[in-house]
Structures are given as C-alpha cells and as structure tokens.
Amino acid sequence: MRSIFSLKVLIFFGIIFNLLSCEENILNNKQGKKESEYIDSLLEASDIYQNSIDSMLLLAKDASQLSIEHNYQAGYLRGLLQQGIAHFYKGEDSIAMSKIKIIEQKELSIGEGFELIIARKNSLRGSIYYNQYLYDSAAIYMFEALQMFESQKDTLQVAMVSANIASNYILMGDSEKALEFTKKAELNFQKKNHGEGLTAVYERIGSVYLGQEQYDSALFYFKKSLRFAKKINHVYFIANGCHNVGSVYTKQEQFKIGGTYLQQAVTLYEEQDNLLGYAMTISLLAQVDFAQKKYQSALSKYQRVNKIALEHHYLSLQKESSEQLSKIYEEQKRFELALMHNQKVKVITDSLNNTERLKTINKLENQYLNAQTNRIILEQKVGIQRERNRGLLLSLISIIIIAISFFVIWKRKAENKLLSEKNELIESQQLELKHRTENQLEQLSDLFAIYGLMNTGNTEVLKEAQSRVEAINLVYRYLENNKGNDIDIKPFIVKLVNNILIIYGIQKDEIDVKIDIVNTKVGVNKTQIIGQIINEILNNTFKHAFGTRTEKREIFVSLSQTDSIFELRVVDNGQGFDSNKLKTDRMGLSLIAAFVKSLRGEMITETGDNGTKYRIKFTQVS
C-alpha cells in the first residue's frame, strides 16, 4: 500500500498537465461573433493561468455565464470543462464530477464538431477515477479518449493520454505495458518538443523502476524529471519531483537528505493549496519519524493527514493514516485508541472492496487492439485477392519462398535468442550501475554542500571535496548525451570551470576567467583526468594565488592541439608560490603531479611575482 501511495502524487500531477493543455479553437456561432470571440479569449486566458487555479476558475466561470447570455454553446461547454479541471486540481473531485455530468447531459444534442470537448471530458473523468483508486474505470475512459484523439490525429493529446494509461499499468504492477505506453508518449512528446510531457514521462519511467525496487534507476529518472521541471519553471512538477526524490531516499533510509526534499515539496504544495499532495508528503514525513521511533512527531503528522483525508473523502489515505495511528497508539500502550483506529481500517477496507467496477482493463484493451487488428486484416484480404489474380502457379512459388524464408528466420531467431537475452541483461546491468554511480556522486556532492553550511571551520576542505566529486560526475552527465566513449572537450571544460566558480561563490566581476578550448573529442578516461587537473589547479589558485591583491585578477585556461599532441595551459596573474613546495606534501600539488603522470604527460610550472603558469603536454592516445 505504501508503494501505491508513493506513486499517487506522480499520477495526480502527471494527469494535470494533460487537462490543463491549451484547447483548440471551437467553431464560433455565426451570430454574436464578437461576443463569442471575447468568450474564447477568456477561455484561452484561463489556460495561461495554469499556475493560479483560482484565476483559472474565475475566468472559466465568467466565460460560461457570458456563453449562456449569448447562447454560445461551445463556449458554455468549454467553460464547464475548464471549471471541472480547476476543481479537480484543487482536490474537489465531487464538484469536478458535477461539471462532467452537465456536459454529458448535453452530449446527445451538441452534434458534430465537439469531439475534442468530449475526449477531454473523458480524460478528466478518468483522472478523477485515478484519485479514487478505480483503475479499471479510469482505464475505460482513458482508452476511449485515446481512440478519439487518434481519429482526430491530435499528436499531443495522444501522447498525454498514453502517459496516463502507462500510469494505470504502473499502479497495477504491469511494468512491461507501462513502458510500452510510456515509450509511445515519449515519441509523440518529442515530435512536439513538449517539455511538460517529457517531464511527466521521466516521472513514469522512474515510477516503473520504483515498483521494481531498483532505487538507483528510479532516483536517476526522478532527478532528471525534476531538472526538466525546473528548466520549464513548472511549480507543480517541481513539487512532484521533490516528493518523488525524497520518497526514494527515505526508502533507502537516507532520512536526512530525503527529509530535505520532502520539506521542499510540502512548502510548494502548501503554497499552491494542494491538499492531496500536501497530505501525502506529510504522510511520508510521518513514516520517517515512525522509522526513527519519534512517535509523538509521527502521531501529530498522521492526525493531520487523517483529518484532511476525512474532510475530502480520500478513502485510501484515510485507511493508511488510520493503520499507522493504530500502530503508534499500540506502541504508546493506548490500546483503546489503537482498537478504534483498527476497526476504522476494517470499515474503510470493506468500502473500497465493495466499490462497483464498471469494466475490466483487459476487456477494454482488447476492444481497442481488436479495432486496430481488424483494419490490418482488411488490408491483408485486399492484398491476397490481388495475388490470386496472378495465378495459382505464382502463388504456389510465393508460398514456398515464404515458407523457406520463415524457416530460415525462425532458425536464426532460435540461435540468436539466448545471445540477445544475455546482451539485454548486460546492458540493463550496465545502465543500472551507471545510474547508481551518478546518483551516489550527486549524493556526495549534496552532502558536502550541506556539511559545508553546518561546519564553517572546514569550509575550504569541503569545497575541495565537492569540486572533485562534481568534476567526476560531470563526465557521467556528458556521457548520457554522447554516443560512444568520446566527449566534446570544449563544453565539458567550460561547464567544469563554471561549476568550480559556483562552488567557491566567485562572481564574474571578482576574477576575469578566459577560456580557449579546441573543438575536438577526447576519450572518457582522459577527459576525467583533464577535468581533475584543471579542478586541482583552480582550487590552489583560488586559495593561494591572489591573497590581498587589489589589482585586476585574471585566470586563463586553454587547450590546444597540434597533430596528436595536446597542450593544456592554466595561467594566473597572482602572487606566485615557492617552487620548492612542489616536492613537499601539499595535497593539491601532489594530486596534479599524479594526474599528469597518469596522462603520461609532461608538466612545466613557472611561478613568480607576476603569477603562475602551468603547461602540460600529452598525446591523444587513450
């Protein structure tokens, strides 16, 4: 039950971006054209206010009222739909369902031209059923919406509904089907370059891995989704991403860093007046308190969750919070209260089990797939009829050729099946290992940053450690976007230098950093060593080079190539240092020398009152 609740916030907000997408313009009435155009502008404005649900609701109500006054049916129905979306987002499912029922009463009389309204209405109804844990019923309306959007060739809506169907399979534990529909959604979102959609897709991939308890891969995709959400500045997905990342960390019993993400999610949900997301995140924080035996703190949080669930009829959330309250009261030996909540759990469980299911998801999926199969069969029959006209002899020859071909293909498939399965297993293990490494490096960097704030006396040491970890992690990030094991060295070094400046809190007007890097690719191992050399040199420069000097501070980083020889130069105009220290136990200089040696390169260091210059030459051979 806990894993289902960890996914509910993902699905709740993953569905939202579908329902809040911009509506296409509906046919205007021939009379009252000016009024209908104004009403359409109100509805379009309500879409713009996605991050302010109250504004969205107010504009939708105004549009509906004006549509009634001017007998503009399309505007009236769209206004009702927008109101339903807004109430759904506020967690007011019963009000949203009342708007849907009004639209459905009009369905028989609205005629053609309103297919998109009906499709979006079905999508909204399916979303409400998700919240009520009626996955079969939700799937019915989602598949109906998918068929309508495909018939309208609406690529974006096909992607959105496919993503929601994938969510349904995730909650039902069918990872294979979930990934199938997630892939379909991703391809369509990429065609439209839709940032919100891709954000939700990566959430769903993360949730598949979460269901399989592959926490490192789940964390990788949840963090990727969170980065996308921050890039498009989508506050709901940011809150959702913080919740997801925090939930994975808590499952790994990394309560400190997990709690940081969860607190961010609580703040964002509370600012947006999102009761469902707020309650579910508080429930996770309570779970953390309970695991650490902080029973009084957990009790307070679960009581808050239980109150919200009771007021808004979130039955499953009521059940979970009551179960936990019963355990806490039992730990406190308050057996009467424990018994009361235990009985409450039984009542809620019976209510959930007795809820009427409309149809099964397998039946509906078969209807959808059969419709696709019938078209294929019809096309095959036409082809067969044409082939018959060419004569029995040609048909016989064709059948023999096809039979031989199938036999050869079958034999090859049988021989390659085991090899293919082994390759897939190896690739999966390599991907999991890569994700785990990157996640652990990111976690180390986060921890160094947190400890740096808490331990001011060790700030410089922690900054050095954080910059070293970031230099390694940056290689993994660039590998993700490059095929093979070669990395574009120029953007890598530029990003590396900027990261170090950020870690040390150095502004552009404090030190003038100039970068001149050749455009070429370098092997991943050599790239990592180059990054570490630059990192160590800059660490030493920021700590020792400038001191109290007030004149203009400059650093120059360059990488040039002549034939197969590279030359890396890092120059500053600081106060220099004692060259004898190169042979002492100074860690930074020792590390630089060790890295140069691993490159099989040569280093020349020049230092004096006018600054320090590092010149490192090495070959291109990995």
Side-chain angles (χ1 to χ4, degrees):
M1 179 59 73
R2 178 69 262 170
S3 61
I4 291 177
F5 271 94
S6 298
L7 295 175
K8 281 299 291 183
V9 170
L10 159 66
I11 294 167
F12 181 85
F13 288 101
I15 294 165
I16 284 301
F17 80 90
N18 173 20
L19 301 173
L20 290 176
S21 62
C22 293
E23 297 280 355
E24 296 183 2
N25 290 329
I26 306 299
L27 296 175
N28 292 324
N29 293 338
K30 292 183 179 180
Q31 297 183 1
K33 185 175 181 180
K34 291 183 179 179
E35 290 80 2
S36 64
E37 289 177 350
Y38 175 68
I39 293 169
D40 287 340
S41 69
L42 288 178
L43 292 168
E44 289 168 3
S46 72
D47 281 330
I48 296 174
Y49 282 96
Q50 293 182 17
N51 289 341
S52 178
I53 302 304
D54 290 333
S55 299
M56 177 185 177
L57 183 59
L58 181 61
L59 288 169
K61 286 182 177 179
D62 288 345
S64 296
Q65 185 60 40
L66 287 172
S67 297
I68 293 173
E69 294 174 3
H70 297 284
N71 195 27
Y72 181 32
Q73 193 174 40
Y76 175 62
L77 294 176
R78 288 180 61 193
L80 285 175
L81 184 60
Q82 289 289 89
Q83 291 178 57
I85 292 169
H87 285 297
F88 168 78
Y89 190 74
K90 294 179 72 174
E92 299 169 348
D93 290 353
S94 59
I95 301 177
M97 184 63 79
S98 68
K99 304 298 179 184
I100 289 175
K101 290 180 179 179
I102 296 174
I103 296 173
E104 289 178 339
Q105 291 172 359
K106 303 287 184 180
E107 274 190 34
L108 298 177
S109 60
I110 59 179
E112 298 181 357
F114 294 87
E115 289 85 358
L116 290 177
I117 291 179
I118 296 173
R120 286 172 172 79
K121 179 268 299 179
N122 287 340
S123 182
L124 176 57
R125 182 185 273 272
S127 303
I128 294 172
Y129 284 137
Y130 272 121
N131 279 351
Q132 299 173 347
Y133 293 82
L134 301 175
Y135 305 131
D136 294 344
S137 302
I140 289 172
Y141 288 96
M142 286 301 174
F143 272 110
E144 287 180 358
L146 178 61
Q147 288 179 305
M148 296 181 75
F149 288 134
E150 285 184 334
S151 67
Q152 296 292 319
K153 297 182 179 180
D154 192 330
T155 302
L156 186 57
Q157 293 295 336
V158 167
M160 291 174 176
V161 179
S162 297
N164 292 337
I165 292 174
S167 299
N168 191 79
Y169 279 118
I170 291 170
L171 289 174
M172 298 185 73
D174 192 337
S175 300
E176 184 177 350
K177 282 289 185 181
L179 289 175
E180 175 188 337
F181 280 92
T182 301
K183 186 64 176 177
K184 181 174 184 178
E186 182 181 15
L187 292 174
N188 284 283
F189 281 133
Q190 287 174 344
K191 291 178 183 178
K192 294 292 185 179
N193 193 25
H194 198 277
E196 293 179 9
L198 290 172
T199 302
V201 164
Y202 294 132
E203 283 183 345
R204 282 158 175 76
I205 295 175
S207 67
V208 172
Y209 285 119
L210 183 65
Q212 296 173 342
E213 297 185 352
Q214 297 184 32
Y215 297 132
D216 289 297
S217 291
L219 189 60
F220 174 81
Y221 282 104
F222 283 148
K223 284 190 173 182
K224 188 172 184 178
S225 175
L226 181 56
R227 286 198 295 269
F228 265 71
K230 291 180 178 179
K231 183 178 180 181
I232 62 178
N233 195 27
H234 198 298
V235 64
Y236 306 115
F237 278 132
I238 293 173
N240 199 23
C242 290
H243 175 98
N244 292 328
V245 173
S247 67
V248 177
Y249 277 128
T250 56
K251 283 183 177 293
Q252 295 176 321
E253 297 185 355
Q254 300 182 47
F255 299 130
K256 187 171 185 179
I257 190 170
T260 301
Y261 279 100
L262 291 175
Q263 286 293 351
Q264 293 177 27
V266 167
T267 301
L268 291 171
Y269 288 145
E270 194 170 20
E271 288 175 355
Q272 298 301 317
D273 194 26
N274 188 300
L275 291 176
L276 182 60
Y278 173 82
M280 287 184 157
T281 310
I282 292 295
S283 181
L284 268 179
L285 288 170
Q287 183 185 8
V288 171
D289 288 340
F290 185 82
Q292 296 178 317
K293 298 184 178 180
K294 299 177 181 178
Y295 296 130
Q296 195 58 38
S297 177
L299 178 65
S300 175
K301 290 183 175 67
Y302 277 127
Q303 286 174 337
R304 202 183 325 164
V305 172
N306 192 261
K307 181 180 178 182
I308 294 172
L310 183 63
E311 290 176 351
H312 295 273
H313 307 291
Y314 301 143
L315 288 181
S316 295
L317 196 56
Q318 277 184 257
K319 178 184 175 184
E320 184 195 15
S321 58
S322 294
E323 285 175 340
Q324 297 301 323
L325 286 170
S326 178
K327 291 179 181 178
I328 295 172
Y329 284 130
E330 187 175 349
E331 288 287 341
Q332 296 179 337
K333 301 187 183 305
R334 300 164 71 179
F335 299 114
E336 184 176 352
L337 290 173
L339 178 61
M340 180 189 74
H341 282 283
N342 189 43
Q343 291 173 341
K344 186 177 179 181
V345 169
K346 291 181 180 179
V347 173
I348 296 173
T349 301
D350 291 340
S351 177
L352 288 171
N353 291 337
N354 292 331
T355 301
E356 182 181 0
R357 303 288 183 164
L358 299 180
K359 297 176 183 177
T360 64
I361 186 172
N362 290 332
K363 180 178 180 181
L364 188 66
E365 183 192 3
N366 288 335
Q367 291 176 353
Y368 171 74
L369 296 177
N370 287 338
Q372 307 296 330
T373 304
N374 289 337
R375 287 197 293 269
I376 296 173
I377 293 173
L378 182 60
E379 294 173 357
Q380 290 176 341
K381 287 182 178 179
V382 173
I384 292 171
Q385 186 62 40
R386 290 176 180 174
E387 289 295 324
R388 286 178 178 175
N389 295 335
R390 297 181 182 179
L392 292 176
L393 181 60
L394 183 60
S395 298
L396 180 60
I397 294 173
S398 299
I399 291 172
I400 293 173
I401 292 173
I402 292 172
I404 293 173
S405 299
F406 273 117
F407 176 77
V408 172
I409 292 171
W410 172 81
K411 186 176 180 181
R412 288 180 180 177
K413 284 184 176 180
E415 293 173 349
N416 294 333
K417 184 177 180 181
L418 288 176
L419 181 60
S420 176
E421 291 176 351
K422 290 180 180 179
N423 289 337
E424 288 178 0
L425 178 60
I426 292 172
E427 289 176 1
S428 175
Q429 292 173 340
Q430 289 176 339
L431 182 62
E432 173 71 11
L433 180 60
K434 175 182 175 299
H435 291 168
R436 180 176 299 176
T437 302
E438 183 174 348
N439 289 333
Q440 290 174 346
L441 288 171
E442 286 190 5
Q443 184 181 342
L444 277 175
S445 180
D446 291 342
L447 288 174
F448 284 138
I450 291 171
Y451 292 145
L453 294 174
M454 297 171 61
N455 301 277
T456 56
N458 298 319
T459 301
E460 293 298 329
V461 175
L462 290 169
K463 285 181 178 178
E464 286 185 27
Q466 185 181 2
S467 66
R468 287 168 185 152
V469 172
E470 281 293 318
I472 298 171
N473 196 21
L474 190 60
V475 174
Y476 284 93
R477 292 180 186 171
Y478 272 85
L479 274 176
E480 182 182 344
N481 300 318
N482 287 270
K483 294 182 179 179
N485 291 320
D486 292 335
I487 293 176
D488 291 322
I489 194 67
K490 182 174 183 177
F492 170 80
I493 292 179
V494 172
K495 181 68 174 177
L496 173 66
V497 173
N498 289 334
N499 282 354
I500 298 173
L501 291 172
I502 292 171
I503 290 172
Y504 277 87
I506 297 173
Q507 305 296 324
K508 292 184 178 179
D509 56 354
E510 296 179 21
I511 300 178
D512 184 12
V513 180
K514 298 179 180 178
I515 302 175
D516 183 16
I517 309 298
V518 64
N519 275 316
T520 188
K521 288 183 178 292
V522 179
V524 60
N525 294 330
K526 197 174 291 294
T527 298
Q528 184 169 324
I529 298 172
I530 293 170
Q532 290 292 351
I533 290 174
I534 295 173
N535 177 68
E536 294 302 329
I537 292 175
L538 292 182
N539 278 339
N540 284 345
T541 301
F542 294 149
K543 288 193 298 181
H544 307 296
F546 299 113
T548 59
R549 288 196 173 188
T550 59
E551 62 269 18
K552 184 176 182 180
R553 304 177 178 187
E554 297 179 338
I555 296 176
F556 178 67
V557 180
S558 71
L559 180 67
S560 59
Q561 180 182 12
T562 304
D563 296 329
S564 62
I565 304 298
F566 283 97
E567 181 175 356
L568 172 65
R569 297 173 69 238
V570 183
V571 182
D572 66 69
N573 66 341
Q575 61 191 8
F577 61 87
D578 185 355
S579 60
N580 291 328
K581 292 184 179 180
L582 283 170
K583 298 179 181 179
T584 67
D585 59 350
R586 290 181 64 187
M587 183 175 179
L589 296 174
S590 300
L591 285 174
I592 295 170
F595 288 134
V596 172
K597 184 177 180 180
S598 66
L599 278 178
R600 297 181 182 178
E602 298 178 354
M603 179 173 68
I604 299 174
T605 305
E606 301 174 10
T607 185
D609 293 337
N610 294 326
T612 302
K613 179 189 298 183
Y614 296 87
R615 296 176 58 199
I616 301 167
K617 290 186 177 182
F618 56 93
T619 63
Q620 190 175 14
V621 179
S622 299

